[in-house]
C-alpha cells in the first residue's frame, strides 16, 4: 500500500518533493521542538495520482485519512464530534516550490451549525465562534465551489457600512451570526446545495479542491513565469487550528528574519491583534510593526526573536515566518526562504558569510541569477525629481525600481494595453492572485492598501518589479476610473512615475539615470569569480557598452560585430559605393575610405580592452541589408553615387536573394570579394601596431564567420596572414593575434576536428547554429514557437535556452573533438544563449572555456557560472 500520509513527526526538510515545502518545513520545525500545531501531510504523489485518474482519490487514501485523523485525535485529545474538545483544522496546500498566493487555504474546517454553538459556549465567546464560522463559509465557498469572493465580500462590507462598523473586529456576535446565515443562503443560490455539515465531508471536499487548484489558471501562469514544472503536484497539510482571532491577547503575523528590501540584519514584520489567517497579507486593516509587539507582549516578542534566529541559523538563509498568537501563546505556522530584492539578497549573503553562518560557495547559491537584473535597474535622476510634481510620498517602498507609464485600473486592461505596446502602471486598492498577468504586463504596481508583506509587495519583489503599497492618501475609484489625491485628480491613461525604492509617486514622466553598485555587490561578485571555472566575456562594440562590461568584470570581448560600424550616414554611403561598384578598383577605393573609419573604431575598442582578448568578427550579414529601400532613400543614394535611380534599382534587384540568411553572407562574401576581409584585418592589425607603438599591448582575435568547410577558412586565413605579415614587416614590430572561426553551421560542428587543426579559437554562434540545426528561421519562428511550447513539442524556446538534446550535443561533441586535436584551442560561446542561466550550466559541464553576452547580462552570467560550479560543474558529466 502506498503511504500517502505522513505525520509531521515523520517528515523532515529534505522531503520537499513528497511533502511540499510547507509540509517538509512544518515537520522540520516540529523536530526542532518549535511550537507547531500538530497535524499531517498528504503527499504530492496523492495529488499527481488524483489528477491522473480524472479527479478520483487514490484507492486507500480515505482509509489512511481516517486512521491519521484518529491518531491525531488521540494525540491532542480533540475530535470533530466531541462535545468538549472540538477539533478544527486548517487545510493548507503546499507545493515543493513556494508559490505565494497561488494555491488556497481553508481555515476552521470542522465547524457546522451545531458545533459553532458548542464552540461559543465552551469559549464563552460567541463573537469568536461566529467569526470562525463566517471565515470557513467564505473560504470553503471560494476554494471548493468557486463561489466568487464578491458574493461574500459585498454583503460583508455593506453590513459593516450599514451598521457603522469601522473594522471587522467591531462586528458583534449577532452581526456575525446574521452574516453566517446569509452566507449559507449564498451557497444555495450559487450551488443549489447547502453548505456541507459533516466535517469529514468538508475535509475530503477540501482536499480534492486543493488538488484541483494545482491546475487553475493562476497557478499555471505562475509556474510558467517561474519555470516550475506542471507535473510535480501539491501536497496538502491538515493541521490543528490555533486562533489568532480569539481576542486582544491573540493575533497573527508575518515576519522576515532580515529586511527583505534592504537586507539589514533586523527582524522585519507585521502583525494584527484579534485577526486570523491572511488578514495581514490581504491588507484589510493596516498591520502594526513587529517592534510594537515588544511593548504589548514582551515575552512573546522575545520568544519570537529567539525562534527566528534559530530558524535562520538552521536553514542558513533569511526566513519568511508566519505565526499566530493565541492567548499570548506563540505558534509557528510556516517558514521558508524569504523573497527579497536583489539588493537585499546581496547584502544578506555577504552578511551571512561574515557572520560565519554560511560559506562563500553557499552565499553564491543564495542569490537568484534573475534578481541580479534588478540591481542594474535605473533610478530617477535627482535633478529631474526636484522639478517633478508629487502625487504621494507616504506609500511604502515595497519593491525598488523607477518606472513611468500610463495609469490603468485593472489587470485585464494592463495586459491589453501592454500588448499594444503601451507602458502601463497598475493602480489598485490592493492586488490578488487573479491580477498576476496584469502585474507582469505593468511597469510598476501601486496599491493604496496593504503593507510591505501584502500580496502586491511580495509578488512584485519576486518579479523584480517596481512597487509601492499603502499609498493611503490616494483614493482609487475603480468603477469610475478616477483617482483623487491631495493635489488633484487623475484619470485612466494619465502618465505617472513610481519610485519603488522610496515609495514616492510623481505626476508625468521623470527622467532616469543608471544604477550605482554597492561594496557588497563588488564583494559578492568577486566571490562568484573565485568560485567559477567558466569565464565571462561581453558582446559589445561601442565604447560605452565596452566600459559597462568591464565595470562588471568581463574578461574580454567575445564578439565585436563589425557591421554595426557601417551604419553611420557617412559610412553607409561608402559601403553602398563598395557594394554597387562594378570593378575591383572602384571597390577598393570605396573600401579604403571605410578602412579609415574602421581604424578609428578598432583603435578605441582595442585600447579599452588592452591585454584582455578581443574577438572581432569580420563582416557577416548579407549585403542587401546595407541598401536603401524607400523611394526617397533610393533617390538620395542614386544622386550621391551619381547613377540613375533605374540603374540603382537594377543593382538592388541583382543582389536580391530568396533566402538571404542562407545566401551570400559571412565568409562567402569574402570568397567572392577577398578585398573585404583583407581590408578589415588590415584595419585591426594596423590599429594594434599603432597602439603598441604607444606602449599599449593588445590581443585582437580575428574571427571569420559562417565557415562550413576547412578550405573556406584556410583560403581566407592565408590572405589575411599575408597582409598581417606585410604590415608587421613595414612597422618593424609584431603583435599578438589569433585567427579563428565562428562555429555556427552544423557542418562546421561535424568537422570540428579538422577545423581545430587550423584555427586558434572557436566561438559557437548559437543563434545561427540553432536556426540551421532545427531549420527554424529565427525571424519567422515567432509564428509557431508559441504553439510548440503550448503543445509541449518543445519545452523551451531554443533561441532563448539551449536545446541540450540537439544543438547542445553538436556543441559538446565539436568542442570535445577540437580539444582532442588542439588542446590549446580556446572555445567560447557568443550569442544570446551565452547569457542564459540554464544554457550556461550546460556549457560549464562541457569543454567550453568562456561565454559571452551583452554587457548588462555579464553579472548575471558570472553568477550563473559560479552557481553551476558549486552545484557540481564539470565533474558531473
Ligand atoms: P499560503 O501558502 O498562502 O501562505 P497558508 O497555508 O500558509 O497559505 O495559510 C495562510 C495562513 O492561514 C497562515 O499564514 C496562517 O495565518 C493561517 N493558518 C494556516 N493554518 C493555520 C492553523 N493551523 N492555525 C491558525 N492559522 C492557520
Ligand atoms: Mg494564501
Ligand atoms: Mg503561508
Amino acid at each position: 500500500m502506498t503511504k500517502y500520509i505522513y505525520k509531521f513527526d515523520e517528515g523532515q526538510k529534505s522531503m520537499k518533493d513528497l511533502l511540499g515545502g510547507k509540509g517538509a518545513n512544518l515537520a522540520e520545525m516540529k523536530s526542532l521542538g518549535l511550537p507547531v500545531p500538530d497535524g499531517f501531510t498528504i503527499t504530492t504523489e496523492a495529488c499527481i495520482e488524483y489528477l491522473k485518474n480524472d479527479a478520483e482519490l487514490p484507492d486507500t487514501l480515505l482509509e489512511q485519512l481516517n486512521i491519521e485523523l484518529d491518531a491525531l485525535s488521540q494525540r491532542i485529545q480533540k475530535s470533530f464530534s466531541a462535545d468538549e474538545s472540538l477539533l478544527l483544522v486548517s487545510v493548507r496546500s503546499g507545493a515543493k516550490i513556494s508559490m505565494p498566493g497561488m494555491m488556497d487555504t481553508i481555515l476552521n474546517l470542522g465547524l457546522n451549525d451545531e458545533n459553532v454553538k458548542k464552540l461559543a459556549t465552551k469559549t464563552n465567546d460567541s463573537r469568536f465562534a461566529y467569526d470562525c464560522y463566517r471565515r470557513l463559509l467564505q473560504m470553503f465557498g471560494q476554494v471548493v465551489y468557486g463561489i466568487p469572493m464578491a458574493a461574500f465580500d459585498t454583503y460583508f462590507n455593506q453590513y459593516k457600512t450599514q451598521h457603522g462598523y469601522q473594522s471587522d473586529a467591531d462586528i458583534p456576535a449577532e452581526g456575525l451570526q446574521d452574516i453566517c446565515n446569509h452566507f449559507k443562503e449564498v451557497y444555495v443560490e450559487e450551488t443549489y446545495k447547502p453548505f456541507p455539515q459533516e466535517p469529514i465531508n468538508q475535509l475530503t471536499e477540501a482536499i480534492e479542491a486543493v488538488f484541483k487548484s494545482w491546475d487553475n489558471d493562476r497557478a499555471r501562469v505562475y509556474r510558467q513565469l517561474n519555470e516550475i514544472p506542471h507535473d510535480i503536484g501539491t501536497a496538502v497539510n491538515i493541521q490543528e487550528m490555533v486562533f489568532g482571532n480569539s481576542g486582544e491577547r491573540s493575533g497573527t503575523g508575518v515576519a522576515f528574519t532580515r529586511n527583505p528590501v534592504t537586507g539589514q540584519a533586523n527582524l522585519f514584520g507585521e502583525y494584527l491583534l484579534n485577526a486570523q489567517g491572511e488578514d495581514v497579507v490581504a491588507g484589510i486593516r493596516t498591520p502594526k510593526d513587529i517592534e510594537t509587539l515588544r511593548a504589548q507582549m514582551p515575552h512573546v516578542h522575545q520568544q519570537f526573536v529567539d525562534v527566528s534566529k534559530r530558524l535562520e541559523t538552521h536553514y542558513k538563509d533569511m526566513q519568511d515566518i508566519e505565526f499566530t498568537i493565541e492567548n499570548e501563546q506563540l505558534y509557528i505556522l510556516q517558514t521558508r526562504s524569504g523573497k527579497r530584492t536583489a539588493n537585499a539578497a546581496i547584502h544578506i549573503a555577504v552578511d551571512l558569510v561574515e557572520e560565519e553562518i554560511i560559506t562563500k560557495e553557499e552565499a553564491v547559491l543564495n542569490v537568484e541569477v534573475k534578481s541580479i537584473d534588478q540591481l542594474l535597474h535605473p533610478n530617477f535622476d535627482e535633478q529631474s525629481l526636484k522639478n517633478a510634481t508629487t502625487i504621494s510620498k507616504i506609500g511604502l517602498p515595497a519593491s525598488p525600481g523607477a518606472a513611468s507609464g500610463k495609469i490603468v485600473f485593472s489587470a485585464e486592461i494592463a495586459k491589453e494595453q501592454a500588448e499594444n505596446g503601451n507602458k502601463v502602471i497598475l493602480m489598485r486598492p490592493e492586488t490578488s492572485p487573479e491580477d498576476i498577468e496584469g502585474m507582469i504586463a505593468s511597469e510598476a504596481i501601486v496599491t493604496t492598501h496593504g503593507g510591505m508583506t501584502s500580496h502586491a509587495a511580495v509578488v512584485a519583489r519576486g518579479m523584480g518589479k517596481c512597487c509601492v503599497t499603502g499609498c493611503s492618501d490616494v483614493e482609487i475609484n475603480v468603477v469610475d476610473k478616477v483617482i483623487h489625491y491631495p493635489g488633484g485628480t487623475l484619470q485612466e491613461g494619465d502618465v505617472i512615475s513610481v519610485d519603488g525604492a522610496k515609495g514616492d509617486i510623481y505626476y508625468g514622466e521623470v527622467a532616469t539615470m543608471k544604477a550605482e553598485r554597492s561594496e557588497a555587490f563588488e564583494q559578492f561578485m568577486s566571490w562568484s569569480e573565485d568560485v567559477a571555472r567558466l569565464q565571462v566575456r561581453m558582446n559589445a562594440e561601442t565604447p560605452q557598452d565596452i566600459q559597462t562590461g568591464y565595470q562588471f568584470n568581463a574578461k574580454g570581448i567575445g564578439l565585436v560585430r563589425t557591421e554595426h560600424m557601417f551604419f553611420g550616414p557617412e559610412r553607409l554611403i561608402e559601403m553602398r559605393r563598395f557594394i554597387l561598384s562594378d570593378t575591383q578598383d572602384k571597390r577598393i577605393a570605396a573600401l579604403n575610405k571605410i578602412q579609415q573609419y574602421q581604424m578609428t573604431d578598432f583603435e578605441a575598442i582595442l585600447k579599452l580592452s588592452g591585454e584582455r582578448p578581443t574577438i572581432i568578427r569580420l563582416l557577416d550579414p548579407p549585403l542587401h541589408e546595407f541598401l536603401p529601400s524607400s523611394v526617397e532613400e533610393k533617390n538620395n543614394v542614386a544622386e550621391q553615387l551619381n547613377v540613375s535611380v533605374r540603374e540603382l534599382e537594377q543593382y538592388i534587384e541583382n543582389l536580391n536573394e530568396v533566402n538571404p540568411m542562407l545566401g551570400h553572407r559571412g565568409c562567402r562574401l569574402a570568397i567572392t570579394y577577398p578585398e573585404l576581409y583583407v581590408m578589415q584585418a588590415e584595419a585591426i592589425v594596423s590599429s594594434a601596431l599603432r597602439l603598441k607603438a604607444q606602449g599599449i599591448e593588445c590581443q585582437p582575435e580575428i574571427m571569420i564567420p559562417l565557415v562550413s568547410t576547412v578550405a573556406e577558412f584556410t583560403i581566407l586565413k592565408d590572405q589575411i596572414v599575408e597582409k598581417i605579415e606585410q604590415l608587421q614587416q613595414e612597422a618593424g614590430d609584431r603583435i599578438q593575434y589569433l585567427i579563428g572561426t565562428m562555429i555556427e553551421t552544423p557542418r562546421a560542428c561535424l568537422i570540428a576536428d579538422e577545423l581545430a587543426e587550423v584555427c586558434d579559437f572557436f566561438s559557437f554562434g548559437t543563434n545561427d547554429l540553432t536556426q540551421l540545426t532545427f531549420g527554424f528561421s529565427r525571424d519567422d519562428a515567432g509564428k509557431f514557437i508559441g504553439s510548440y511550447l503550448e503543445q509541449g513539442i518543445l519545452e523551451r524556446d531554443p533561441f532563448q535556452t539551449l536545446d541540450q538534446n540537439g544543438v547542445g550535443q553538436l556543441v559538446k561533441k565539436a568542442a570535445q573533438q577540437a580539444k582532442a586535436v588542439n588542446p590549446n584551442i580556446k572555445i567560447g560561446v557568443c550569442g544570446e544563449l551565452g547569457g542564459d542561466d540554464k544554457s550556461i550550466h550546460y556549457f560549464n559541464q562541457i569543454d567550453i572555456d568562456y561565454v559571452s553576452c551583452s554587457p548588462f547580462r555579464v553579472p548575471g552570467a558570472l553568477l550563473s557560472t559560479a552557481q553551476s560550479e558549486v552545484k557540481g560543474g564539470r565533474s558531473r558529466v
Side-chain angles (χ1 to χ4, degrees):
M1 184 170 83
T2 317
K3 183 172 165 66
Y4 288 120
I5 302 184
Y6 287 73
K7 298 179 184 60
F8 289 168
D9 279 334
E10 295 174 311
Q12 56 183 28
K13 71 173 191 231
S14 62
M15 292 166 71
K16 284 194 176 135
D17 283 339
L18 193 62
L19 305 180
K22 200 181 286 169
N25 285 337
L26 282 168
E28 184 81 9
M29 289 196 291
K30 195 128 195 299
S31 73
L32 291 176
L34 298 181
V36 177
D38 205 352
F40 52 82
T41 305
I42 304 177
T43 63
T44 52
E45 261 172 31
C47 172
I48 296 164
E49 286 279 301
Y50 175 82
L51 293 173
K52 243 195 261 165
N53 293 344
D54 288 331
E56 194 154 323
L57 288 173
D59 269 350
T60 59
L61 182 62
L62 287 180
E63 214 174 293
Q64 295 185 38
L65 181 63
N66 278 314
I67 295 171
E68 288 304 330
L69 271 176
D70 282 346
L72 178 65
S73 292
Q74 282 292 323
R75 291 199 299 275
I76 61 171
Q77 291 293 307
K78 289 183 181 173
S79 84
F80 278 150
S81 56
D83 287 346
E84 268 305 293
S85 295
L86 182 64
L87 172 63
L88 297 184
V89 296
S90 64
V91 177
R92 316 172 61 188
S93 64
K96 176 186 176 186
I97 301 161
S98 122
M99 298 171 52
M102 283 300 110
M103 313 289 290
D104 301 285
T105 301
I106 300 171
L107 302 180
N108 311 325
L109 188 136
L111 278 177
N112 55 29
D113 292 350
E114 276 311 302
N115 57 28
V116 68
K117 289 182 205 149
K118 289 180 198 157
L119 184 64
T121 319
K122 195 201 152 211
T123 56
N124 197 17
D125 188 349
S126 40
R127 189 199 172 275
F128 159 70
Y130 284 96
D131 185 52
C132 289
Y133 199 23
R134 67 98 187 164
R135 287 173 189 269
L136 170 64
L137 290 166
Q138 250 170 307
M139 285 186 262
F140 193 91
Q142 213 183 303
V143 175
V144 180
Y145 296 140
I147 301 174
M149 223 190 308
F152 300 110
D153 281 352
T154 316
Y155 182 80
F156 191 75
N157 291 332
Q158 265 172 11
Y159 195 93
K160 278 201 301 193
T161 338
Q162 257 172 23
H163 294 79
Y165 301 131
Q166 291 289 319
S167 95
D168 301 3
D170 298 337
I171 311 173
E174 304 74 55
L176 290 166
Q177 220 165 333
D178 286 349
I179 290 171
C180 286
N181 287 333
H182 178 82
F183 282 3
K184 280 185 286 178
E185 283 165 25
V186 170
Y187 274 76
V188 179
E189 278 162 28
E190 294 273 341
T191 69
Y192 309 105
K193 276 193 301 191
F195 170 70
Q197 293 286 321
E198 186 57 49
I200 187 73
N201 293 345
Q202 293 174 7
L203 188 58
T204 46
E205 286 191 49
I207 292 168
E208 291 195 44
V210 171
F211 285 167
K212 280 188 198 137
S213 79
W214 176 255
D215 262 340
N216 74 26
D217 291 345
R218 275 148 47 188
R220 286 197 156 268
V221 170
Y222 187 89
R223 290 201 290 273
Q224 213 126 29
L225 182 69
N226 290 281
E227 298 197 350
I228 299 170
H230 290 301
D231 61 357
I232 56 175
T234 181
V236 184
N237 301 287
I238 314 291
Q239 186 178 33
E240 180 196 1
M241 282 301 301
V242 289
F243 300 97
N245 57 336
S246 60
E248 291 300 313
R249 306 313 293 163
S250 304
T252 178
V254 185
F256 294 82
T257 55
R258 292 171 195 244
N259 187 313
V261 182
T262 64
Q264 261 178 348
N266 45 17
L267 204 56
F268 177 93
E270 294 168 327
Y271 70 102
L272 277 173
L273 291 183
N274 200 5
Q276 191 176 48
E278 308 267 75
D279 289 1
V280 173
V281 190
I284 292 163
R285 277 188 273 157
T286 302
K288 286 187 185 156
D289 193 306
I290 189 104
E291 203 33 48
T292 55
L293 188 64
R294 192 196 291 277
Q296 283 184 319
M297 297 182 200
H299 44 268
V300 174
H301 182 268
Q302 187 54 49
Q303 197 191 349
F304 187 73
V305 171
D306 295 344
V307 167
S308 67
K309 270 279 145 250
R310 176 120 188 254
L311 284 174
E312 189 179 86
T313 316
H314 184 74
Y315 282 96
K316 297 178 171 225
D317 194 12
M318 187 265 262
Q319 296 293 295
D320 168 356
I321 304 171
E322 295 174 13
F323 63 96
T324 284
I325 305 162
E326 179 180 330
N327 294 321
E328 304 214 13
Q329 194 75 44
L330 175 70
Y331 293 94
I332 308 296
L333 293 174
Q334 189 172 349
T335 192
R336 60 182 164 211
S337 281
K339 295 227 184 269
R340 63 203 79 178
T341 64
N343 194 17
I346 299 276
H347 276 97
I348 290 169
V350 170
D351 285 351
L352 288 175
V353 172
E354 275 161 13
E355 291 166 32
E356 294 184 358
I357 295 175
I358 58 173
T359 61
K360 269 196 316 201
E361 285 77 12
E362 288 167 329
V364 159
L365 294 180
N366 271 7
V367 176
E368 277 183 70
V369 172
K370 267 201 302 197
S371 74
I372 290 291
D373 250 10
Q374 274 185 54
L375 283 178
L376 318 172
H377 277 332
N379 295 312
F380 286 126
D381 173 57
E382 287 300 327
Q383 206 48 44
S384 313
L385 269 189
K386 284 193 187 125
N387 304 324
T389 315
T390 302
I391 291 175
S392 166
K393 285 211 166 180
I394 70 166
L396 299 170
S399 179
S404 303
K406 293 180 177 170
I407 298 173
V408 294
F409 293 98
S410 74
E412 296 82 75
I413 308 264
K415 213 180 136 200
E416 198 180 293
Q417 291 277 332
E419 275 161 11
N420 292 333
N422 288 313
K423 290 190 168 183
V424 297
I425 293 185
L426 179 63
M427 283 191 83
R428 294 196 53 79
E430 66 232 347
T431 63
S432 72
E434 285 86 33
D435 297 327
I436 219 112
E437 288 183 90
M439 294 171 77
I440 298 169
S442 304
E443 302 298 310
I445 297 135
V446 176
T447 69
T448 50
H449 299 342
M452 295 291 279
T453 55
S454 66
H455 178 266
V458 171
V459 173
R461 278 201 292 278
M463 290 177 185
K465 188 145 286 188
C466 174
C467 175
V468 172
T469 57
C471 255
S472 52
D473 59 347
V474 174
E475 193 196 311
I476 303 182
N477 183 332
V478 180
V479 179
D480 298 337
K481 300 194 173 177
V482 60
I483 290 172
H484 298 282
Y485 66 99
T489 59
L490 297 167
Q491 316 279 341
E492 185 172 66
D494 284 352
V495 174
I496 59 168
S497 295
V498 180
D499 184 341
K502 297 211 182 76
D504 299 345
I505 303 179
Y506 302 92
Y507 188 78
E509 187 168 342
V510 179
T512 54
M513 56 173 209
K514 280 207 299 204
E516 272 174 49
R517 297 188 315 276
S518 65
E519 239 170 78
F521 178 84
E522 303 299 337
Q523 175 70 78
F524 180 79
M525 277 304 166
S526 83
W527 287 339
S528 299
E529 241 175 284
D530 292 348
V531 169
R533 174 189 76 84
L534 266 189
Q535 294 202 333
V536 181
R537 294 195 195 178
M538 69 177 119
N539 300 341
E541 43 277 323
T542 68
Q544 199 190 349
D545 282 356
I546 293 171
Q547 275 160 342
T548 305
Y550 281 139
Q551 275 165 14
F552 291 139
N553 288 338
K555 283 283 166 286
I557 303 181
L559 180 64
V560 170
R561 305 173 195 82
T562 46
E563 62 273 16
H564 287 203
M565 302 169 173
F566 290 79
F567 284 108
E570 73 286 356
R571 302 173 177 206
L572 192 53
I573 189 68
E574 297 308 330
M575 191 59 192
R576 287 168 171 169
R577 209 186 297 280
F578 163 74
I579 297 169
L580 301 171
S581 301
D582 45 9
T583 68
Q584 194 180 28
D585 285 349
K586 282 194 203 159
R587 279 204 297 274
I588 289 176
L591 278 181
N592 282 339
K593 291 228 172 103
I594 299 173
Q595 190 174 44
Q596 292 307 310
Y597 293 121
Q598 292 247 287
M599 296 248 282
T600 330
D601 294 330
F602 292 144
E603 213 174 299
I605 292 170
L606 291 170
K607 197 169 168 181
L608 285 170
S609 281
E611 289 186 359
R612 291 169 289 207
T614 299
I615 291 188
I616 299 171
R617 177 177 68 186
L618 304 181
L619 195 70
D620 182 51
L623 293 181
H624 76 93
E625 282 190 17
F626 297 98
L627 293 175
S629 50
S630 75
V631 178
E632 195 191 338
E633 251 190 310
K634 282 183 194 161
N635 288 339
N636 273 340
V637 173
E639 199 185 311
Q640 277 173 308
L641 297 184
N642 209 10
V643 293
S644 72
V645 176
R646 270 199 51 199
E647 275 174 292
L648 179 68
E649 282 180 335
Q650 190 55 53
Y651 275 124
I652 295 175
E653 180 70 30
N654 291 346
L655 282 172
N656 193 32
E657 292 177 284
V658 178
N659 272 320
M661 286 308 268
L662 301 176
H664 195 188
R665 54 171 288 225
C667 64
R668 301 161 202 169
L669 282 175
I671 294 291
T672 46
Y673 303 116
E675 58 281 3
L676 187 61
Y677 280 6
V678 173
M679 173 282 283
Q680 288 195 293
E682 178 171 359
I684 294 167
V685 170
S686 51
S687 300
L689 283 165
R690 281 222 300 247
L691 286 171
K692 191 170 180 204
Q694 298 164 31
I696 303 169
E697 300 249 8
C698 51
Q699 295 202 34
E701 304 188 338
I702 299 170
M703 179 154 76
I704 299 174
L706 216 69
V707 162
S708 40
T709 70
V710 176
E712 280 171 324
F713 181 79
T714 47
I715 289 172
L716 296 172
K717 179 181 170 180
D718 290 348
Q719 291 168 356
I720 290 170
V721 170
E722 192 188 319
K723 186 64 171 184
I724 295 177
E725 282 305 321
Q726 179 203 332
L727 291 169
Q728 293 188 131
Q729 238 154 42
E730 282 166 17
D733 201 355
R734 302 190 74 79
I735 56 152
Q736 284 198 2
Y737 69 90
L738 301 178
I739 303 182
T741 182
M742 201 149 170
I743 303 283
E744 48 192 336
T745 69
R747 191 176 197 281
C749 292
L750 297 172
I751 58 156
D753 50 349
E754 294 171 48
L755 282 169
E757 280 176 17
V758 288
C759 289
D760 299 324
F761 67 88
F762 279 178
S763 176
F764 285 92
T766 46
N767 294 339
D768 268 309
L769 187 57
T770 301
Q771 167 165 272
L772 294 172
T773 303
F774 274 97
F776 287 173
S777 154
R778 240 197 288 177
D779 304 307
D780 303 307
K783 293 204 174 83
F784 55 84
I785 288 275
S787 310
Y788 272 57
L789 296 176
E790 259 162 44
Q791 295 182 38
I793 298 169
L794 288 176
E795 209 179 316
R796 300 204 170 73
D797 179 346
F799 291 106
Q800 281 170 29
T801 299
L802 179 76
D803 156 49
Q804 293 190 4
N805 294 341
V807 182
Q809 291 305 307
L810 278 176
V811 176
K812 179 178 166 182
K813 286 183 189 139
Q816 207 169 20
Q817 286 181 7
K819 290 267 179 184
V821 297
N822 180 357
N824 291 327
I825 194 166
K826 286 205 280 181
I827 304 185
V829 174
C830 58
E832 279 312 295
L833 302 186
D836 172 71
D837 183 53
K838 285 206 174 57
S839 313
I840 287 176
H841 186 55
Y842 182 84
F843 296 136
N844 192 40
Q845 296 176 323
I846 63 175
D847 288 294
I848 299 289
D849 300 312
Y850 70 88
V851 290
S852 189
C853 55
S854 55
F856 273 97
R857 295 185 87 181
V858 167
L862 193 53
L863 180 54
S864 292
T865 61
Q867 290 188 344
S868 172
E869 197 62 20
V870 174
K871 286 181 194 157
R874 254 205 299 197
S875 54
R876 276 251 178 119
V877 178

